[in-house]
C-alpha cells in the first residue's frame, strides 16, 4: 500500500506538471525562446558533471558497507555493484536499487543485519546531508527561520549518531543489532555525500546561467535541488522521485521566478539526473558490476 500510494502521488504530481506546461503555454514559449539552444547544450554538458557527483556518493556507499563487515572488501568491485544497481531506482516502487544491492551483497557473504543497517545508515546520512544544504535557502523562503540554527542542530545530530556508532563498535555483544566493525569509515562517508549534493547543485547551475535569474536565486537554487531530492527520495513508490521533485521545484520557487523558467529548470534537472544515472550504469557494467563472484578476489567474507 505504501508503494502504491507513492506511485499514485508521483503520477498525480507528474500529471499536474504536464497540465501546467500545457495551460501556461510553456511548450510554445520554449519553442520560440532564444535561449532554448543554450539551455539544451548546457543541460547536456551538465550530465557528466552530475555523473562525477554520483561517483562521490558511490564512494560514500562503499565506505558505509566497509564499516559494517569484519573483513576487508574489494572497494573497486563494491563500487561497481553500486554503479550498476543505481539505475534500478527507475523501476516501479523506487526500491529496486536497494533490493539489487541486497541480493548482490548477500552473494558476497554479508548477513541481513549488516545489509539492513547499511541501507538505513546510508538513507539517514543522505537525508541529513541534503537537509544541511537545504537550510541555506531558509531565509529566502521562510524569513522567520535561521538557517544557521537548523544547520547547527543537524551537525549535533550527526555528532551524536557517530558517538552511537563508535559505542556499538566497542561492544561486540551489541553487534547483532548493529554490526559496526570500522566506524571510522563513516567519518569519510558523510563529507563525500556532501560533495555529491554540491556537485548536483553545480550541475543545475550550468543550464540556469542561460536564464535571467535574480541574484537571490544563486543561493536558493542549490537548496531547492536538495529539498526536491529529499522529497523524491522519501516518497516510496515514485520511481526516482519522478513528478515529486518537479512539484517541489514549483512549490518552493513559485513567486521567485516565472513559472516557465521553473518548469524549464525542473525539466533540465530531470534530464541531467537521468543522463547521469545512464552514464553511471555504463561505468558499472564496464567495471564488472554485473558479476556475482566478487568474493573470489579476496576469499570468503565472514557473514555478520
Amino acid at each position: 500500500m505504501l508503494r502504491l500510494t507513492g506511485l499514485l502521488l508521483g503520477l498525480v504530481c507528474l500529471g499536474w506538471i504536464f497540465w501546467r506546461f500545457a495551460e501556461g503555454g510553456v511548450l510554445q514559449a520554449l519553442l520560440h525562446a532564444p535561449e532554448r539552444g543554450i539551455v539544451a547544450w548546457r543541460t547536456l554538458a551538465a550530465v557528466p558533471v552530475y555523473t562525477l557527483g554520483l561517483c562521490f556518493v558511490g564512494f560514500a556507499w562503499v565506505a558505509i558497507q566497509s564499516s559494517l563487515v569484519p573483513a576487508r572488501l574489494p572497494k573497486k568491485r563494491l563500487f561497481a555493484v553500486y554503479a550498476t544497481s543505481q539505475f534500478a531506482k527507475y523501476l516501479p516502487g523506487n526500491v529496486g536499487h536497494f533490493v539489487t544491492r541486497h541480493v548482490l551483497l548477500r552473494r558476497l557473504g554479508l548477513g541481513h543485519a549488516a545489509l539492513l543497517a547499511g541501507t538505513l545508515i546510508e538513507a539517514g546520512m543522505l537525508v541529513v546531508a541534503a537537509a544541511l544544504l537545504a537550510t541555506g535557502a531558509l531565509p529566502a523562503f521562510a524569513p522567520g527561520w535561521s538557517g544557521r540554527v537548523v544547520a547547527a542542530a543537524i551537525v549535533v545530530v550527526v555528532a551524536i549518531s557517530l558517538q552511537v556508532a563508535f559505542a556499538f563498535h566497542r561492544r561486540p555483544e551489541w553487534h547483532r543489532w548493529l554490526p559496526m566493525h570500522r566506524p571510522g569509515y563513516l567519518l569519510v562517508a558523510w563529507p563525500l555525500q556532501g560533495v555529491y549534493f554540491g556537485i548536483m547543485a553545480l550541475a543545475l547551475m550550468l543550464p540556469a546561467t542561460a536564464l535571467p535569474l535574480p541574484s537571490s536565486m544563486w543561493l536558493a537554487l542549490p537548496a531547492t535541488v536538495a529539498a526536491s531530492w529529499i522529497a523524491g527520495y522519501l516518497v516510496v513508490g515514485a520511481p526516482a522521485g519522478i513528478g515529486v521533485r518537479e512539484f517541489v521545484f514549483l512549490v518552493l520557487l513559485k513567486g521567485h521566478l516565472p513559472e516557465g523558467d521553473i518548469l524549464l529548470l525542473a525539466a533540465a534537472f530531470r534530464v541531467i539526473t537521468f543522463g547521469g544515472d545512464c552514464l553511471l550504469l555504463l561505468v558499472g557494467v564496464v567495471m564488472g558490476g554485473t558479476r556475482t563472484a566478487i568474493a573470489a578476489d579476496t576469499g570468503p567474507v565472514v557473514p555478520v
Side-chain angles (χ1 to χ4, degrees), residues 63-264:
I64 292 172
Q65 303 307 318
S66 299
S67 71
L68 294 165
V69 293
R72 294 188 179 277
L73 298 175
K75 305 296 189 299
K76 178 181 176 181
R77 303 297 293 278
L78 272 178
F79 179 82
V81 169
Y82 178 88
T84 306
S85 61
Q86 179 70 5
F87 198 80
K89 68 183 181 181
Y90 290 97
L91 298 175
N94 197 24
V95 294
H97 49 316
F98 296 122
V99 175
T100 303
R101 292 168 196 163
H102 195 97
V103 171
L104 292 177
L105 292 183
R106 277 292 295 163
R107 293 173 181 176
L108 259 176
L110 275 70
H112 290 294
L115 294 173
L116 178 60
T119 299
L120 295 178
I121 290 173
E122 182 202 21
M125 293 179 69
L126 280 170
V127 171
V128 168
L132 191 61
L133 179 60
T135 58
L138 277 179
F141 296 125
W145 287 79
S146 171
R148 293 181 179 179
V149 173
V150 177
I154 291 175
V155 171
V156 169
V157 170
V158 171
I160 295 175
S161 301
L162 289 174
Q163 288 289 337
V164 171
F166 277 92
F168 273 83
H169 167 64
R170 291 190 292 267
R171 302 295 295 270
E173 64 272 20
W174 293 356
H175 283 187
R176 61 176 300 185
W177 307 107
L178 182 63
M180 186 61 61
H181 295 276
R182 295 182 179 88
Y185 276 106
L186 299 181
L187 300 175
V188 178
W190 200 54
L192 289 173
Q193 291 175 342
V195 173
Y196 162 64
F197 287 109
I199 294 179
M200 180 192 293
L202 176 63
L204 182 63
M205 289 298 184
L206 289 177
T209 53
L211 301 176
L213 300 179
S215 58
S216 60
M217 284 296 97
W218 299 115
L219 180 62
L221 272 181
T224 301
V225 168
S228 68
W229 183 92
I230 293 174
Y233 188 79
L234 294 181
V235 175
V236 178
I242 189 167
V244 179
R245 293 179 182 174
E246 290 77 7
F247 180 77
V248 172
F249 261 79
L250 275 172
V251 170
L252 292 181
L253 296 177
K254 187 176 181 180
H256 299 274
L257 288 176
E259 189 171 272
D261 289 348
I262 301 173
L263 292 172
L264 178 58

